[in-house]
Amino acid sequence: MEDLPVILLVEDEELIRNIVEETLGDGGFKVIVAKSGDEAVRLLDSSVPKYRALVTDIKLSPGTLSGWDVARHARAIDPELAVVYMTGDSAAEWASQGVPNSVLLTKPFAPAQLLTAVAQLLNVGGQNPS
């Protein structure tokens, strides 16, 4: 279990959080869960474990950081971190708010779409497309 890639999942809605956590776990990843943007930043700042990917909802609980903010903070720590955004209504903001080389999934999405997005980003690992 220790050698599995670790993913930080940020989702405030329990039902979605549980489905995504189960999907990623079944896909061979170790999942650390944050229920808010603020909690996610604390986990990222702790630097243990070393995260390979961030999967985050964009609109989190009011009064907390957004998924956009969490991803920017994560990339400041690790510029190569794979980032997958999940959203029901913020897709139009991705070009201006999203970090480069990220993927956006619009809810509802199939579990296989999430696993494919994470796997593709991890396989690219550090390559900067022109």
Side-chain angles (χ1 to χ4, degrees), residues 106-118:
T106 303
K107 298 175 187 173
F109 52 82
Q113 289 175 283
L114 174 61
L115 289 176
T116 298
V118 171

Side-chain angles (χ1 to χ4, degrees), residues 1-116:
M1 186 88 175
E2 294 174 21
D3 293 338
L4 296 178
V6 181
I7 295 180
L8 178 58
L9 168 62
V10 189
E11 173 60 69
D12 58 340
E13 195 173 319
E14 184 177 10
L15 179 61
I16 295 171
R17 186 173 59 241
N18 292 341
I19 291 169
V20 172
E21 182 178 13
E22 183 177 334
T23 297
L24 292 169
D26 290 348
F29 299 100
K30 180 177 179 183
V31 182
I32 306 293
V33 175
K35 298 174 185 172
S36 72
D38 297 334
E39 182 182 0
V41 165
R42 282 192 300 275
L43 289 169
L44 288 163
D45 286 345
S46 73
S47 73
V48 177
K50 169 96 168 90
Y51 299 104
R52 293 283 315 279
L54 169 69
V55 175
T56 184
D57 187 19
I58 293 171
K59 287 193 175 178
L60 300 165
S61 301
T64 183
L65 297 170
S66 71
W68 304 125
D69 297 323
V70 172
R72 284 190 289 270
H73 185 84
R75 282 284 182 85
I77 294 168
D78 180 358
E80 303 298 325
L81 187 72
V83 174
V84 177
Y85 296 106
M86 305 178 293
T87 187
D89 62 0
S90 299
E93 299 172 38
W94 183 34
S96 63
Q97 296 290 323
V99 297
N101 301 318
S102 59
V103 171
L104 184 132
L105 297 176
T106 303
K107 298 175 187 173
F109 52 82
Q113 289 175 283
L114 174 61
L115 289 176
T116 298

